[in-house]
Amino acid sequence: MFDEVTQVIREYKGDLGLVITPETTFSSLNLDSLETVELVMKVEEKLNVSIDMNGDINCVGDLLAVLEKVQ
Amino acid sequence: MTIKITGTGIGLPKHHVTNQELAEVTGLDTSDEWISTMTGIKARYICDDETITDLATTAAIDALADAGTSATDIDYILCATIGGDTRTPALACAVAERIGVECAAADLSGACTGFLYALDIVSCLIQAGRASTVLLICAEKMSAHLDYTDRNTCVLFGDGAAAVVVTAGSALKYIHVTSHPDTQVLSLANRMTGNSPFTHHRDEVGFVHMEGQKVFRYAVTYMEREVVKALATLGLEPDDVDYYLVHQANRRIIESAISRLKLSPDKFPMNIDRYGNMSSVSIPVLLHEQLAAGAIKPGDTLVMCAFGAGMTYGSCVVEWE
């Protein structure tokens, strides 16, 4: 799942060489709040899941944790 | 037989407030650059001494003149609004009084989807033979509902009114309105307090509350869903549509939906930079401007799509007559 998420992020950022770890925050990727939502929607589409955004999703690890619950 | 729009009009406050002026007057920690980047908004109209009835009446008179229709021909006035100058009587009654007509007059609360909800009802009234010439007015004084110490919401909205005259015709090919029950992410608390000795709580004075990320997700999702559904229902291809007139809430919502739909941005006229989010008023103002500019011609296919508090959403397809 990590690989799929990082692929979506790299495609969204247009940088296929982007170094991403679970600790990578969305703000460090220069994604603002609305871009983060767009990214989450693309991950939903890619993995065919619906993600609950009620909790804080500030970094890639947060997103992975939410995905593990819905998978 | 369905309906057609025979005239459009708008009514705006005098004061056009730029982002810079808004930041200066409110003292908020915001800037033209931040507001423009996050929303696409550069200015909005805000009432000073105008009432919402003033704006609605101006729009109504403008639309009647454009349609070449006498006020006495109107047999129904339907206003889409969050609220007029008085909770009762309805804003529609206030406009009827101003323009001097005796006819059915009522308001409808459909939030930012109000124009489409009202158009749906108007089409039913006309098709059922219960009305023949309807004045549909959208009017919002959003500035009365905003917390001007909250930089996340007060920069987004503007005041204004728009009206359309609707009669029998064959322009409306499809209309669909619905809602997804989520009343928390975008709301406006009731300002009614009263002094009943039997009431155990008082409603606090409320302002527009918005959870931006959730509204963004709803908006993009519903816009995509509604456009796909409308085209599929009529067997249209995206290129068959000349213009998509969508609710002007945030430029980035629109751009995100365009990207997901893989459509051309050229077919999505926008005016949010000059008006901000005017709730139900945004689509009819956009329609009025496109008609005034000569962009929309008879035979053109238009898709209109909106979303708003509720969460309400919907779309319609019009072949312009």
Side-chain angles (χ1 to χ4, degrees):
Chain A
M1 194 188 318
F2 177 73
D3 290 342
E4 289 161 309
V5 169
T6 54
Q7 184 187 349
V8 171
I9 296 172
R10 286 175 181 134
E11 287 172 359
Y12 185 77
K13 291 294 295 180
D15 182 354
L16 299 182
L18 197 61
V19 177
I20 299 167
T21 69
E23 289 73 36
T24 301
T25 63
F26 296 117
S27 60
S28 72
L29 296 170
N30 289 322
L31 295 175
D32 65 29
S33 60
L34 300 186
E35 288 169 328
T36 302
V37 180
E38 274 193 318
L39 182 69
V40 167
M41 292 173 72
K42 287 185 181 297
V43 170
E44 287 180 319
E45 205 169 52
K46 174 92 172 178
L47 300 177
N48 196 28
V49 295
S50 179
I51 296 171
D52 181 357
M53 288 190 71
N54 279 325
D56 286 337
I57 301 179
N58 298 317
C59 67
V60 174
D62 292 340
L63 181 54
L64 292 169
V66 175
L67 284 168
E68 279 176 11
K69 288 181 187 171
V70 298
Q71 284 276 310
Chain B
M1 185 268 288
T2 61
I3 57 170
K4 65 178 178 182
I5 292 171
T6 60
T8 65
I10 62 174
L12 298 167
K14 296 181 295 293
H15 197 166
H16 200 213
V17 180
T18 63
N19 290 341
Q20 185 178 342
E21 182 182 1
L22 186 63
E24 286 171 0
V25 171
T26 61
L28 290 172
D29 180 18
T30 190
S31 67
D32 176 46
E33 182 185 2
W34 187 88
I35 299 169
S36 299
T37 303
M38 290 298 287
T39 69
I41 299 165
K42 290 188 170 297
R44 76 288 292 146
Y45 289 88
I46 298 180
C47 291
D48 43 43
D49 58 350
E50 300 95 343
T51 65
I52 193 167
T53 305
D54 293 335
L55 304 181
T57 302
T58 300
I61 292 169
D62 195 19
L64 288 168
D66 185 46
T69 298
S70 167
T72 53
D73 291 335
I74 301 166
D75 47 21
Y76 211 114
I77 301 175
L78 184 61
C79 285
T81 183
I82 289 172
D85 293 312
T86 53
R87 186 168 294 276
T88 190
L91 176 61
C93 297
V95 173
E97 184 176 56
R98 289 275 188 96
I99 63 176
V101 298
E102 290 189 23
C103 67
D107 291 356
L108 175 153
S109 178
C112 300
T113 321
F115 177 68
L116 294 177
Y117 268 80
L119 196 65
D120 188 36
I121 290 170
V122 169
S123 73
C124 294
L125 288 168
I126 291 176
Q127 288 183 82
R130 302 297 295 272
S132 59
T133 304
V134 180
L135 183 57
L136 191 174
I137 304 169
C138 299
E140 307 288 7
K141 191 173 177 179
M142 297 305 298
S143 59
H145 309 299
L146 299 173
D147 177 358
Y148 280 90
T149 66
D150 177 8
R151 65 177 182 173
N152 292 318
T153 54
C154 77
V155 303
L156 302 176
F157 296 92
D159 301 337
V164 298
V165 178
V166 187
T167 65
S170 56
L172 184 68
K173 304 300 183 189
Y174 166 89
I175 189 162
H176 171 254
V177 290
T178 187
S179 69
H180 168 80
D182 186 339
T183 58
Q184 302 302 309
V185 299
L186 179 55
S187 63
L188 172 60
N190 206 330
R191 282 175 182 261
M192 284 193 298
T193 52
N195 65 353
S196 164
F198 304 102
T199 299
H200 297 295
H201 75 277
R202 295 276 176 259
D203 292 326
E204 294 181 2
V205 171
F207 297 111
V208 169
H209 160 80
M210 186 166 72
E211 297 175 35
Q213 283 188 315
K214 290 180 182 176
V215 171
F216 182 92
R217 184 153 89 153
Y218 274 134
V220 172
T221 302
Y222 293 150
M223 198 183 300
E224 180 183 15
R225 186 181 300 171
E226 280 298 308
V227 169
V228 168
K229 181 183 172 76
L231 296 182
T233 302
L234 295 179
L236 294 173
E237 296 296 327
D239 283 344
D240 294 331
V241 177
D242 295 285
Y243 293 106
Y244 296 84
L245 306 181
V246 302
H247 174 44
Q248 306 284 295
N250 183 320
R251 172 179 285 274
R252 291 176 56 183
I253 289 173
I254 300 169
E255 289 175 344
S256 186
I258 292 170
S259 172
R260 293 173 69 87
L261 286 160
K262 298 179 175 60
L263 296 175
S264 167
D266 295 341
K267 293 196 172 189
F268 285 75
M270 287 192 231
N271 60 12
I272 189 170
D273 58 327
R274 288 172 285 124
Y275 294 105
N277 181 347
M278 293 192 291
S279 189
S280 64
V281 183
S282 77
I283 287 180
V285 165
L286 191 60
L287 174 66
H288 176 83
E289 287 192 336
Q290 293 299 304
L291 287 165
I296 296 171
K297 298 176 178 60
D300 280 355
T301 299
L302 315 176
V303 171
M304 304 182 198
C305 182
F307 49 87
M311 297 294 290
T312 57
Y313 58 101
S315 64
C316 75
V317 178
V318 171
E319 188 177 313
W320 194 254
E321 287 185 34

